Amino acid sequence: MSESEPILSVRELSVAFRGETGVTRVVNRLSYDLHPGEILGIVGESGSGKTVSSLAALGLLPGTAETTGDIGLRDNGLSINLLTLSSAQMRRYRGNRLAMIFQEPMSALNPVYTCGYQAIETILANESVSKAEAKQRAIALFREVQLPDPEGILNRYPHQLSGGQMQRVTIAIALSCNPDVLIADEPTTALDVTVQAEILRLLQQLRQQRGMAIVFITHDLGVIAEIADRVVVMYKGEAVETGSVYDIFDRPQSPYTKGLLTCRPQLERRMKVLPTTTDFMEVRRNAAGHLEIIEKTANSVRQALLDAEMDSSEIAARLDQLQQAQPLLSVRHLKTHFPIRQGVFGRQVGAVKAVDDVSFEIYPGETLGLVGESGCGKSTLGRSLLRLIQPTSGEIVYDGDDLLALSGGKLRRLRRELQIVFQDPFSSLDPRMSVGASVMEPMELHGIGRNRAERRAAAAKLLEKVGLDASALRRMPHEFSGGQRQRICIARALASSPRLVICDESVSALDVSVQAQVLNLLKSLQAELGLAYLFISHDLSVVKFMSDRIMVMNRGQLEEIAPAERIYTSPQSDYTRALIAAIPRAEPERRSVRAYRSYAD
């Protein structure tokens, strides 16, 4: 690949945005080459400039953006600088030569049009073909990306598909005009491990069949190890390291890269706390405005990691101690079914068994992990425990009280001790309410504090407890990053002094370093306040780090429940083994996704 002419060459690219407070530079003199048939991984945390640099190549930046440098696309032996093209000229290349898969398929697809209409519309807009021919092309594309029943999906709306199926539709639309370069922007974020493995395998197959070059953007180095040939590591708008995937993982040079590799939870080791990138480096800018990343003393970092590792006897002793107490929550034969109705009169013709005869216990101070694929019933189970969804039958006994038998004031009083942290922190917070108002709202609802001043002081302490300054009380949710908003949601959940907190995919969309900070925070709060967690996630490595025991759900039922270490070392279920086999590992020599076969296969 390195001997061929690059199909895309980025040279000294800088992007800045004009705003009310001045100009903010988000990409600073970025350079890289992309060769035909190559998969180039661009990795870094949110705000590192990954997506902005790719949007610049497609001419999709807003009018407030100022760009300098050169993005050269090889066209008939010549290099065309995409930054100099007008909007009309850019349309000649966008779609036909360059295409993009956006991060969130639900927002990338128009909810009021069928999937087939959107694919056909793209083909008609870019190629001179009839509508009938475009329809046949759309069906062929849906079949190529391995969608079940391509003709049927042609007439379905995005909300009628699963997350993985929607992502396949966006890939099909991106491929509709046979691009030479495909930019995949976080295409597997928030997907469960099996669907993620299928999408990665699909992109590999499409690269081989079509000879496309792919720019794969992600914050997950485990995913990069599975798919990339070369890697660009970005931090605060600059490329801090570039090399082959094997060099990056086996011989990282930048302290930032070393930090990213280390702060993801590892299956082979059980840590008390996770390291973060700041444990490995100090950052400053030189007189020319470039980043200087200085490595902290390697020996001290290494010793801290060794001190934070838990041995098997320590893990077993903790679990024995937890289970000596009476269960805080006991669930017996819980069922949550949703009726399927048809006809004018809504006659019930069946039921979706989202939770089907599930039983388990949670002990005081314990973290019980809950894993499974999307649609297995994890979130429905969590909401059923709090009666945010009404269960069909069964028992939920909390501290001696059957929650299903309670109503009115007594249920409201018990809910003070049962809280939930949702997956998306932005939609969890009212955008019209200040952070202080959001954190104080549960206190006002449950009559905590004698007056507003006392509640405000308590809210300030909670924000400080989760690592935010008390000045955040006056600010609005949109002024914070994703990790900071999740900390606010945790502070809000703690406002009523709960004993059990349900964490529903609460770190799934966070960068690995921010994720490590939030996971460390949850563990420290548990140790300080004696909290019990039901920790729901599709990321098994994260669940293993957090959990004392893990239960695995599949199609509404429990596959197995066991201590966290045992789930990984000796899984009893074929389904659990398939989940573990699909976990991306930061070991490019293994390339486990190529050998992965789904449980359904």
Side-chain angles (χ1 to χ4, degrees):
M1 292 177 185
S2 60
E3 295 177 356
S4 63
E5 288 287 341
I7 191 170
L8 189 72
S9 294
V10 177
R11 292 288 179 269
E12 298 288 312
L13 174 66
S14 294
V15 181
F17 291 99
R18 298 186 306 275
E20 295 179 359
T21 57
V23 177
T24 303
R25 177 167 289 190
V26 293
V27 179
N28 188 28
R29 300 178 67 178
L30 173 67
S31 298
Y32 64 80
D33 289 326
L34 177 69
H35 298 272
E38 178 183 35
I39 298 181
L40 177 71
I42 300 182
V43 67
E45 297 172 276
S46 294
S48 63
K50 310 184 300 294
T51 299
V52 169
S53 62
S54 297
L55 291 175
L58 287 159
L60 295 177
L61 292 176
T64 56
E66 298 175 351
T67 58
T68 60
D70 188 300
I71 302 178
L73 177 68
R74 184 66 54 181
D75 186 28
N76 295 322
L78 300 175
S79 181
I80 308 298
N81 185 1
L82 299 176
L83 296 181
T84 64
L85 301 182
S86 66
S87 296
Q89 291 171 322
M90 192 66 211
R91 280 195 290 272
R92 174 187 166 194
Y93 295 97
R94 191 189 300 128
N96 292 318
R97 300 294 309 283
L98 293 156
M100 190 166 186
I101 305 168
F102 293 95
Q103 177 173 353
E104 177 47 62
M106 194 65 192
S107 59
L109 297 171
N110 193 323
V112 302
Y113 293 111
T114 64
C115 297
Y117 176 89
Q118 296 180 65
I120 293 167
E121 179 188 41
T122 304
I123 296 169
L124 293 174
N126 288 279
E127 299 195 22
S128 299
V129 297
S130 67
K131 190 170 183 180
E133 187 177 350
K135 179 179 179 180
Q136 292 305 311
R137 286 265 302 274
I139 293 172
L141 283 165
F142 285 179
R143 187 173 291 113
E144 185 178 8
V145 298
Q146 300 170 24
L147 279 166
D149 187 20
E151 292 85 357
I153 286 181
L154 208 67
N155 299 312
R156 293 184 197 167
Y157 291 88
H159 72 271
Q160 296 176 300
L161 307 181
S162 69
Q165 289 173 335
M166 281 191 290
Q167 195 62 282
R168 289 170 189 267
V169 170
T170 62
I171 293 172
I173 292 173
L175 296 175
S176 60
C177 298
N178 300 307
D180 298 314
V181 176
L182 180 65
I183 299 173
D185 184 12
E186 301 270 13
T188 60
T189 296
L191 297 179
D192 58 59
V193 288
T194 53
V195 177
Q196 175 178 260
E198 290 168 1
I199 295 296
L200 295 179
R201 184 174 58 178
L202 172 63
L203 289 174
Q204 286 275 25
Q205 291 171 349
L206 291 171
R207 185 265 293 263
Q208 293 164 4
Q209 293 164 4
R210 290 171 169 254
M212 287 187 311
I214 299 176
V215 177
F216 194 97
I217 299 170
T218 184
H219 62 261
D220 191 335
L221 278 163
V223 171
I224 285 290
E226 297 284 358
I227 196 169
D229 300 308
R230 287 191 306 118
V231 183
V232 177
V233 182
M234 291 188 68
Y235 179 65
K236 293 190 175 180
E238 297 188 15
V240 298
E241 188 165 0
T242 302
S244 75
V245 67
Y246 300 101
D247 288 339
I248 292 294
F249 282 85
D250 296 339
R251 295 174 292 278
Q253 301 300 308
S254 170
Y256 177 68
T257 308
K258 295 175 184 177
L260 282 181
L261 286 167
T262 309
C263 61
R264 180 176 171 81
Q266 301 176 39
L267 290 175
E268 294 75 19
R269 304 169 62 195
R270 185 73 174 272
M271 311 295 291
K272 295 177 184 175
V273 295
L274 291 172
T276 64
T277 53
T278 56
D279 295 326
F280 290 81
M281 64 183 191
E282 295 176 357
V283 182
R284 65 188 181 200
R285 291 193 180 271
N286 59 25
H290 286 295
L291 288 175
E292 287 187 351
I293 300 177
I294 303 163
E295 187 168 6
K296 292 183 178 178
T297 306
N299 288 336
S300 64
V301 172
R302 192 176 298 114
Q303 188 59 49
L305 291 175
L306 291 173
D307 292 342
E309 190 169 356
M310 297 178 70
D311 59 40
S312 56
S313 61
E314 192 175 357
I315 296 168
R318 170 177 163 79
L319 190 57
D320 288 341
Q321 184 179 6
L322 288 170
Q323 293 183 335
Q324 288 176 8
Q326 290 294 317
L328 179 66
L329 184 79
S330 295
V331 178
R332 293 286 176 268
H333 306 293
L334 185 66
K335 297 181 180 180
T336 303
H337 297 175
F338 298 104
I340 300 172
R341 301 185 185 278
Q342 289 182 356
V344 177
F345 299 104
R347 182 172 60 89
Q348 183 172 340
V349 295
V352 175
K353 298 180 180 181
V355 178
D356 193 24
D357 198 18
V358 170
S359 300
F360 62 91
E361 294 88 22
I362 300 178
Y363 294 88
E366 180 190 25
T367 299
L368 178 65
L370 175 56
V371 297
E373 296 175 284
S374 296
C376 71
K378 304 187 303 293
S379 293
T380 301
L381 174 60
R383 287 163 170 77
S384 297
L385 297 181
L386 300 183
R387 286 186 58 184
L388 300 177
I389 296 173
Q390 187 62 29
T392 304
S393 63
E395 289 184 351
I396 305 173
V397 179
Y398 170 75
D399 201 21
D401 290 304
D402 185 356
L403 297 184
L404 297 186
L406 300 180
S407 61
K410 186 152 189 187
L411 178 61
R412 194 175 301 114
R413 285 192 295 272
L414 272 183
R415 275 190 172 148
R416 171 178 174 171
E417 300 181 13
L418 304 165
Q419 291 294 319
I420 187 168
V421 180
F422 293 100
Q423 177 175 354
D424 183 0
F426 194 74
S427 61
S428 301
L429 297 168
D430 190 328
R432 301 165 298 177
M433 294 174 65
S434 69
V435 168
S438 291
V439 176
M440 287 190 289
E441 188 178 37
M443 302 183 201
E444 294 169 354
L445 180 65
H446 294 291
I448 300 170
R450 290 174 293 182
N451 51 48
R452 182 174 177 81
E454 195 169 298
R455 287 191 284 269
R456 190 173 182 83
K461 288 182 179 179
L462 283 170
L463 290 175
E464 291 172 357
K465 190 181 291 291
V466 299
L468 295 174
D469 192 87
S471 62
L473 287 168
R474 300 185 298 274
R475 297 164 64 188
M476 305 300 286
H478 71 269
E479 299 180 60
F480 295 88
S481 69
Q484 289 172 326
R485 285 197 291 265
Q486 197 61 284
R487 289 170 182 267
I488 293 166
C489 291
I490 293 170
R492 176 183 165 91
L494 296 177
S496 62
S497 301
R499 298 175 65 191
L500 173 64
V501 178
I502 297 173
C503 300
D504 186 9
E505 299 278 11
S506 54
V507 296
S508 64
L510 301 180
D511 301 324
V512 286
S513 186
V514 177
Q515 181 185 83
Q517 295 170 17
V518 173
L519 293 176
N520 289 340
L521 170 64
L522 289 171
K523 278 211 162 189
S524 66
L525 291 171
Q526 182 178 54
E528 179 183 350
L529 304 174
L531 297 171
Y533 293 132
L534 176 64
F535 193 88
I536 302 170
S537 179
H538 63 262
D539 190 329
L540 280 81
S541 56
V542 168
V543 172
K544 182 174 183 288
F545 168 73
M546 284 294 298
S547 303
D548 299 294
R549 291 183 300 140
I550 295 175
M551 57 182 181
V552 182
M553 279 190 76
N554 180 28
R555 298 174 184 175
Q557 297 182 325
L558 285 189
E559 285 281 332
E560 59 181 300
I561 182 168
E565 296 295 325
R566 194 185 307 163
I567 285 285
Y568 285 84
T569 57
S570 55
Q572 302 302 302
S573 162
D574 289 341
Y575 178 75
T576 306
R577 282 190 281 272
L579 288 180
I580 295 171
I583 299 172
R585 300 170 186 268
E587 302 168 1
E589 65 278 2
R590 296 183 62 167
R591 297 283 189 177
S592 60
V593 69
R594 294 179 179 174
Y596 168 72
R597 294 294 180 268
S598 70
Y599 177 70
D601 294 341

